[in-house]
Amino acid sequence: MKILLTGATGYIGKRLLPALLDQGHEVICCVRNKNRLSGLEKFRDNVTFWEVDFLKEIDIDNAPTDFDVAYYLIHSLTVSTSGFTRLEKKAAKNFRNFINQTSACQIIYLTGIVNDENLSPHLKSRKNVGKILSTSTVPLTTLKAAIIVGSGSASFEIIRDLVEKLPVMITPKWLNTLCQPIGVSDVVGYLTGCLKNEQTYNQSFDIGGSEILTYKEMLLEYARIRSLKRHIISVPVLGLKLSSYWLYFITSTSYDLAVNLVESMRIKMVCEDSRLEEMLQVKPESYTEAVKRSFQRISENVVISSWKDAFISSNASDKFMDYAEVPKHGCLKETREVAISGDPDKVLSNIWSIGGKRGWYFANGFWKIRGFADRLLGGIGLRRGRTHPKNIYNGDALDFWRVIVADKINKRLLLYSEMKLPGEAWLEFRINKYKDKPVLTQTATFRPQGLFGRLYWYLLFPAHLFIFSKMAKNIVRYENG
């Protein structure tokens, strides 16, 4: 089956694409810029990329028209509150006019639960998009979900930020609003289950997890899973603006996104029917299960060790890379960029030789002390080294790191820390081009757990600032690789 996927670089699109490919479908990915594929580069050989902007009228003579099903995953949640309604309406109309001129027999649209009479501007806009798409000559299947639980989703990462940072929370009263959160894997299952299923044509379905909870209950359950003691005090005085600023300053979200989320979180979002669950014989997971699954993705080291064997025996690197996403919310970062005047391949070889006997290109004594301290804390220290002096494969152990992505074609190495830390840490190396000149970008990412995690980062920040700066420069300059 041939499928058109809009929103391919978005949160759901990135997870839906590999599922569609696993099922043997041909996929046309809609992207605004082919040079900015946001992690989809690894699929270049398996999909067709169509550069398109649905905020503009589509030139049908230069557009793909031969496909069976189209997913509509376009939204403008992070756009200012005054602009997203107009933009979403325009994109939906352009998409409808385009789809009417194709061979498609189904549109699948993912939106929010809009059963309440008093909807937020964002949910009103999403409902209006559905109405526009329903005027197409192509049958529409609408799936309506509340909060989607998965590492990297805006809503989930806000919950994570709040619980990790604040032992005591003074919260707005909308935390007592009912919601039916759903795991991202269940969302993908519903999206693929509706493919060319004629029972779902011209139908609208609510989809949710197995539990109905308040946002307060979600925060407290998250804290229980993370073994964190948290106290929540709800007060009636925090209005829309104060609530939005509260999220904006405490979490990593933008103000526009905070406003849109707060407005939607004040609305009850509970499924009114379970027809699709029964139709597709789906048993959705609970909120607890979805949160634990999310942390399983973050703590890839356990899964990676088993996937390492699978990678060696079956060369299943694409499967492995589906999980290689450094979180964006609730993180502290230290980034270094160094221009490469010599051969970029030589620098890439230096990156691929890092750790083990080669060391870390600067302050190897500090790395050894850190490894010793890790062992005193019950960690693994530096004792594992590396299995080969120059070759790295996905899933390899590398000192006290685990290799998540070793992608020489795209010049990217991503490591996940297995040290004992008050949080999680990633170290990433990329060779990109800036103004047609090669540049090494080295990024240390730390997601702290609780206040101690943030204190840990800031206490070590001066040392890290010096060490990581020298390290990046020496990787570029090292001559004996």
Side-chain angles (χ1 to χ4, degrees):
M1 194 184 308
K2 187 176 286 188
I3 296 167
L4 182 83
L5 178 60
T6 68
T9 59
Y11 179 70
I12 296 297
K14 283 183 179 179
R15 285 156 174 76
L16 180 58
L17 176 57
L20 294 172
L21 294 175
D22 285 347
Q23 293 178 5
H25 301 298
E26 296 180 57
V27 183
I28 303 169
C29 287
C30 301
V31 295
R32 288 191 180 185
N33 189 331
K34 288 183 179 180
N35 295 320
R36 298 178 182 176
L37 297 181
S38 296
L40 299 183
E41 295 90 347
K42 58 183 173 289
F43 298 115
R44 279 186 183 274
D45 296 335
N46 301 312
V47 305
T48 301
F49 288 104
W50 176 32
E51 198 169 69
V52 60
D53 184 355
F54 283 104
L55 291 175
K56 302 175 183 177
E57 291 187 12
I58 306 304
D59 179 4
I60 197 66
D61 293 330
N62 294 306
T65 58
D66 181 22
F67 52 88
D68 302 292
V69 177
Y71 283 97
Y72 192 83
L73 303 178
I74 298 171
H75 64 83
S76 304
L77 185 61
T78 56
V79 177
S80 66
T81 54
S82 60
F84 65 72
T85 299
R86 176 181 56 83
L87 295 176
E88 290 197 330
K89 182 178 179 180
K90 187 174 184 179
K93 285 185 174 180
N94 287 336
F95 178 84
R96 177 198 60 191
N97 296 338
F98 157 71
I99 207 73
N100 286 344
Q101 302 176 72
T102 71
S103 61
C105 63
Q106 184 187 23
I107 303 169
I108 301 177
Y109 170 49
L110 178 64
T111 183
I113 291 179
V114 289
N115 298 327
D116 199 292
E117 292 184 1
N118 300 312
L119 296 175
S120 67
H122 171 249
L123 290 176
K124 284 181 181 177
S125 178
R126 303 305 290 151
K127 187 174 183 178
N128 187 49
V129 167
K131 289 180 178 179
I132 294 170
L133 297 178
S134 69
T135 63
S136 166
T137 57
V138 180
L140 174 67
T141 300
T142 301
L143 304 185
K144 300 180 292 183
I147 278 185
I148 297 175
V149 181
S151 179
S153 75
S155 300
F156 176 72
E157 295 298 342
I158 284 176
I159 291 173
R160 178 181 175 119
D161 262 359
L162 292 173
V163 178
E164 299 282 356
K165 293 179 181 178
L166 301 175
V168 178
M169 288 177 251
I170 308 297
T171 64
K173 60 182 179 180
W174 51 257
L175 245 67
N176 294 314
T177 304
L178 290 175
C179 181
Q180 194 165 348
I182 181 172
V184 65
S185 59
D186 285 329
V187 173
V188 172
Y190 280 121
L191 287 168
T192 55
C194 290
L195 270 172
K196 268 194 133 177
N197 186 330
E198 294 187 8
Q199 289 180 287
T200 69
Y201 288 8
N202 294 316
Q203 296 289 318
S204 179
F205 303 96
D206 293 345
I207 59 173
S210 62
E211 297 172 290
I212 297 173
L213 304 167
T214 65
Y215 290 101
K216 181 177 180 179
E217 288 171 331
M218 283 189 270
L219 290 169
L220 291 175
E221 176 60 11
Y222 178 101
R224 187 193 68 79
I225 294 169
R226 295 288 284 158
S227 300
L228 297 170
K229 290 186 178 181
R230 295 296 182 257
H231 302 280
I232 298 177
I233 303 171
S234 296
V235 295
V237 295
L238 292 181
L240 172 62
K241 283 193 174 181
L242 283 177
S243 295
S244 301
Y245 278 118
W246 179 68
L247 283 185
Y248 174 64
F249 286 113
I250 299 299
T251 72
S252 302
T253 184
S254 67
Y255 178 72
D256 289 331
L257 178 57
V259 171
N260 293 332
L261 287 173
V262 167
E263 287 181 327
S264 296
M265 286 176 173
R266 296 190 298 177
I267 307 301
K268 178 182 176 181
M269 300 184 75
V270 175
C271 299
E272 290 187 351
D273 70 77
S274 57
R275 291 178 297 133
L276 191 60
E277 181 181 330
E278 296 167 0
M279 190 182 299
L280 301 181
Q281 294 296 297
V282 173
K283 185 179 180 181
E285 61 188 359
S286 68
Y287 174 73
T288 300
E289 291 168 334
V291 171
K292 288 181 177 179
R293 182 190 290 269
S294 299
F295 278 104
Q296 185 178 2
R297 285 174 58 88
I298 295 167
S299 304
E300 276 300 341
N301 52 313
V302 176
V303 179
I304 286 174
S305 60
S306 64
W307 283 8
K308 175 181 177 180
D309 295 333
F311 170 74
I312 292 171
S313 62
S314 65
N315 200 31
S317 57
D318 283 344
K319 273 283 190 183
F320 189 87
M321 289 182 66
D322 291 342
Y323 297 89
E325 296 181 17
V326 179
K328 297 179 181 179
H329 298 277
C331 293
L332 302 165
K333 292 180 181 287
E334 206 287 325
T335 300
R336 291 284 157 179
E337 292 186 340
V338 181
I340 300 173
S341 58
D343 184 2
D345 289 336
K346 182 67 176 298
V347 178
L348 186 65
S349 176
N350 290 342
I351 294 171
W352 250 244
S353 302
I354 200 166
K357 291 183 179 180
R358 172 69 62 88
W360 293 84
Y361 294 100
F362 183 74
N364 284 327
F366 172 84
W367 289 96
K368 291 178 180 178
I369 292 171
R370 184 63 185 88
F372 178 71
D374 189 55
R375 291 189 67 178
L376 291 179
L377 294 171
I380 56 176
L382 292 174
R383 62 179 180 262
R384 294 186 305 186
R386 52 180 295 159
T387 57
H388 191 278
K390 293 185 178 180
N391 296 332
I392 300 178
Y393 300 99
N394 296 348
D396 280 2
L398 201 168
D399 290 341
F400 41 48
W401 303 87
R402 180 72 65 173
V403 179
I404 295 182
V405 176
D407 182 3
K408 264 198 168 180
I409 294 176
N410 292 299
K411 298 179 173 61
R412 181 192 183 204
L413 177 65
L414 178 63
L415 309 177
Y416 176 78
S417 174
E418 294 183 336
M419 290 181 280
K420 293 288 185 179
L421 293 170
E424 295 109 14
W426 291 258
L427 184 60
E428 183 173 22
F429 304 90
R430 286 179 180 266
I431 295 179
N432 300 309
K433 282 192 175 182
Y434 178 73
K435 294 183 178 180
D436 293 327
K437 293 184 179 180
V439 173
L440 167 66
T441 301
Q442 173 188 285
T443 305
T445 302
F446 182 68
R447 180 150 63 177
Q449 180 180 359
L451 294 177
F452 181 66
R454 301 180 77 81
L455 181 63
Y456 170 87
W457 171 267
Y458 288 116
L459 282 175
L460 291 180
F461 186 73
H464 285 165
L465 200 65
F466 181 61
I467 291 170
F468 286 135
S469 174
K470 290 288 187 179
M471 185 172 137
K473 291 177 182 178
N474 289 348
I475 288 173
V476 171
R477 297 169 180 169
Y478 191 84
E479 293 292 337
N480 297 318

